[in-house]
Amino acid sequence: MLGTQIKVPTKGSEIQEIAGVGPLYRRLHDTLRARISSGHYPVGLLLPTEAALCEEFNLSRYTVREALRQLTVLGLIARRQGSGSQVVSDVTPVVFTQSMRSLSELFQYAFETRFDIRTVRRAAPAKVLADLGGIDRAIPWLLFDGVRRDRLSDRPLAHARVLVHAEFARLEAEFRSTEGPFYGVIERHAGRKVADVAQSITAGPMAPRTAKLLGESADATAVQVLRRYLDRDAAVLLVSINDHPANQFRYEMHLRREG
């Protein structure tokens, strides 16, 4: 049987502030996730209704629904038509799920994770990248190498590498300090806009260094997500490569019938 409704401040109570950075739905998601983890919203009970959350945080219904959708994707709540949202777990499952439908969701991903940069150096792109097109191997790009971590739990999610075109090497300090996506730095400081992202996903044996960084066994399998960020002239501004443990990663895609 579905659990009891969790009580929330009644009308006239002080509106709650949601701290943090990023879009409002992201910040509300983090607040609700923290409440679930702390036991403020116990497993088995219902979350406050959408209307109650809108009132408590002074947010639109769209913002609240998006925050609840993300908690559902994480496996923390289950949403049932006509009944509300029940807390089903206070611990985020080991499997990391990515769902990308737009550049705004890539922006969101950068805020819900943290890029723990280990090394920065100039390097020529590997031939495998150059073969994808639009990447000049003769130019030493700026290479950031490190670990992508969950922002709340600090759990390692992927071995991350970002190659930034030499044209933007002068922005190294901004890349090191940014809390958001690297392409946002290019757009803000160099005026070059990302118009398209070309993505490929492959699976194979995990490289020894990747296994060491992520604490995986030597025979582990990796799922590699490679993205090229292109401007309106199809010039590659940067490339990101994320190697995830195959047994801890799931990628979701939403397709809609045309016409």
Side-chain angles (χ1 to χ4, degrees), residues 137-160:
R137 291 187 67 213
I139 300 175
W141 292 44
L142 193 61
L143 172 61
F144 295 83
D145 190 297
V147 176
R148 180 68 67 177
R149 297 180 179 275
D150 181 275
R151 190 174 292 276
L152 291 182
S153 68
D154 206 42
R155 179 168 64 91
L157 301 174
H159 176 200

Side-chain angles (χ1 to χ4, degrees), residues 59-78:
L59 296 173
S60 70
R61 189 173 290 270
Y62 171 82
T63 299
V64 170
R65 284 179 177 172
E66 181 59 22
L68 294 176
R69 185 188 71 81
Q70 293 177 21
L71 291 173
T72 303
V73 170
L74 285 177
L76 296 177
I77 66 173

Side-chain angles (χ1 to χ4, degrees), residues 1-4 42-47 76-80 83-89:
M1 184 174 68
L2 211 55
T4 306
V43 173
L45 298 189
L46 293 174
L47 285 182
L76 296 177
I77 66 173
R79 306 187 70 190
R80 295 177 172 85
S83 299
S85 301
Q86 184 184 27
V87 181
V88 295
S89 176

Side-chain angles (χ1 to χ4, degrees), residues 99-136:
S99 176
M100 298 295 175
R101 291 173 289 184
S102 64
L103 281 176
S104 63
E105 290 201 354
L106 274 180
F107 192 84
Q108 168 195 321
Y109 169 68
F111 277 111
E112 70 183 9
T113 62
R114 177 175 64 84
F115 189 11
D116 179 11
I117 299 172
R118 302 296 182 90
T119 62
V120 182
R121 60 187 175 89
R122 269 65 172 177
K127 185 177 184 298
V128 65
L129 293 181
D131 287 346
L132 292 174
I135 299 176
D136 189 350

Side-chain angles (χ1 to χ4, degrees), residues 37-59:
S37 297
S38 69
H40 183 80
Y41 295 155
V43 173
L45 298 189
L46 293 174
L47 285 182
T49 64
E50 289 182 3
L53 290 172
C54 289
E55 181 177 349
E56 180 182 0
F57 295 101
N58 194 28
L59 296 173

Side-chain angles (χ1 to χ4, degrees), residues 192-214:
R192 298 281 294 279
K193 299 293 184 180
V194 172
D196 192 19
V197 178
Q199 176 175 273
S200 64
I201 301 176
T202 56
M206 185 175 288
R209 182 167 182 271
T210 297
K212 183 177 181 180
L213 284 172
L214 301 180

